[in-house]
Amino acid sequence: GQSLEQPSEVTAVEGAIVQINCTYQTSGFYGLSWYQQHDGGAPTFLSYNALDGLEETGRFSSFLSRSDSYGYLLLQELQMKDSASYFCAVRDQGVRGSYIPTFGRGTSLIVHP
Amino acid sequence: DADVTQTPRNRITKTGKRIMLECSQTKGHDRMYWYRQDPGLGLRLIYYSFDVKDINKGEISDGYSVSRQAQAKFSLSLESAIPNQTALYFCATSEVGGRETQYFGPGTRLLVL
C-alpha cells in the first residue's frame, strides 16, 4: 500500500514563492504527480516526475528525490488565483501489473494580498 | 464541450434509497475511475475499470457498485444510501501508459439525509 504526507495548509502573500512538500511510502514507486483543485471544482493535472530532479512549467516547478521518497511543488510569483488545494499522488500497483493513483490528503494554499 | 461529464451535479436523497451517479467521456480513454472526496481526506478510489468487461475494487468499495456499460460510460450505484456516504464524487479517465494522467469530471455533490 501507499502512504503520502503533505501539510494541511500553507499561507503566503501575493508575489512570494511557496513550496508544498510531499513525502511518500510505497511498496513500488512509478512516479509522483501534482494536481490543483479550486474550491468547488475538479482536480486538474499540474506536473509529473518519474526521475529525480526538477520539472519546470511556467510559474510552477516540481521536484523529486526518489532516494528520499520526497517531492515538492514550487509556486513562484504567487497570484490570488493560486489559492486552491494541491494534491500529490503516486502510482500504486493495480491489477494485472497496471498502475492506479493514490492521492495525498491535500494542502490548502491561501494567498493573501 | 466537457470531455468528462457527470450527472447529476447535485443530489439529495434519503437513507435507504438506491441512487445512481453517471459518468460519460468523449476522450476515448479505456480507463475510468470513481473517487470519493471528503474534507481533509483527499481523493479515495472506490472502483476502477480498464475496459468494458473489467471492474476492480478500490480502497473503499463497500456499499458501492459500478457498471461499465460502454467504453464511454461508467456508473456508480449506492444500493442503500447511508448518511456517511454524503460526499463529493468524481469520475475520472486516463489513457494507458505514460503518466496515466487523471482527467476528472466536474463532480457530483451527494447529500444523504
Side-chain angles (χ1 to χ4, degrees), chain B residues 9-25:
Chain B
R9 294 293 312 279
N10 295 279
R11 180 73 183 267
I12 301 173
T13 192
K14 295 182 178 180
T15 297
K17 294 291 188 182
R18 184 178 188 274
I19 181 171
M20 179 180 288
L21 310 182
E22 301 195 15
C23 176
S24 294
Q25 55 113 348

Side-chain angles (χ1 to χ4, degrees), chain A residues 33 35 37 40-45 47-48 55 87 91 93-96 98-106, chain B residues 9 31 33 35 37 40-43 45 48 50 54 56 88 90 97-102 104-107 109:
Chain A
S33 298
Y35 290 80
Q37 184 183 27
T44 56
F45 172 79
S47 69
Y48 175 77
E55 294 280 343
F87 296 89
R91 297 165 73 191
Q93 185 115 35
V95 296
R96 298 181 293 282
S98 63
Y99 305 114
I100 57 173
T102 297
F103 287 83
R105 296 190 173 197
Chain B
R9 294 293 312 279
R31 299 185 173 187
Y33 310 78
Y35 292 91
Q37 186 174 36
L41 294 180
L43 293 152
L45 185 61
Y48 62 103
F50 287 164
D54 179 72
N56 305 286
L88 182 57
F90 286 103
R99 301 177 177 185
E100 298 196 24
T101 299
Q102 300 279 296
F104 287 87
R109 196 169 294 277

Side-chain angles (χ1 to χ4, degrees), chain B residues 1 5 13 15 20 46 59 68 74 80 84 89-91 96:
Chain B
D1 289 338
T5 58
T13 192
T15 297
M20 179 180 288
I46 305 173
E59 177 188 355
R68 184 82 183 267
F74 193 35
S80 179
N84 77 359
Y89 290 86
F90 286 103
C91 173
V96 178

Side-chain angles (χ1 to χ4, degrees), chain A residues 3-110:
Chain A
S3 172
L4 297 99
E5 294 289 333
Q6 53 181 129
S8 59
E9 186 176 295
V10 173
T11 60
V13 296
E14 205 171 8
I17 299 172
V18 72
Q19 179 174 311
I20 299 174
N21 299 320
C22 176
T23 58
Y24 58 86
Q25 292 181 334
T26 67
S27 53
F29 179 76
Y30 305 101
L32 181 70
S33 298
W34 288 92
Y35 290 80
Q36 178 191 60
Q37 184 183 27
H38 285 100
D39 198 28
T44 56
F45 172 79
L46 286 177
S47 69
Y48 175 77
N49 296 70
L51 302 176
D52 289 355
L54 193 68
E55 294 280 343
E56 298 182 66
T57 308
R59 294 188 297 115
F60 293 2
S61 303
S62 58
F63 172 82
L64 175 66
S65 169
R66 290 184 299 172
S67 60
D68 294 323
S69 297
Y70 164 75
Y72 65 72
L73 180 68
L74 190 73
L75 296 85
Q76 302 182 72
E77 300 173 15
L78 279 175
Q79 302 175 9
M80 297 296 291
K81 68 178 182 180
D82 296 330
S83 292
S85 292
Y86 293 84
F87 296 89
C88 57
V90 295
R91 297 165 73 191
D92 194 357
Q93 185 115 35
V95 296
R96 298 181 293 282
S98 63
Y99 305 114
I100 57 173
T102 297
F103 287 83
R105 296 190 173 197
T107 298
S108 177
L109 171 62
I110 301 170

Side-chain angles (χ1 to χ4, degrees), chain B residues 40-105:
Chain B
L41 294 180
L43 293 152
R44 293 182 292 168
L45 185 61
I46 305 173
Y47 271 95
Y48 62 103
S49 169
F50 287 164
D51 63 45
V52 174
K53 296 181 180 180
D54 179 72
I55 300 291
N56 305 286
K57 292 183 178 180
E59 177 188 355
I60 54 164
S61 59
D62 287 350
Y64 302 94
S65 62
V66 291
S67 173
R68 184 82 183 267
Q69 304 94 321
Q71 187 211 34
K73 296 185 182 297
F74 193 35
S75 300
L76 176 72
S77 293
L78 287 68
E79 297 301 325
S80 179
I82 56 177
N84 77 359
Q85 291 178 312
T86 293
L88 182 57
Y89 290 86
F90 286 103
C91 173
T93 72
S94 72
E95 52 194 344
V96 178
R99 301 177 177 185
E100 298 196 24
T101 299
Q102 300 279 296
Y103 296 90
F104 287 87

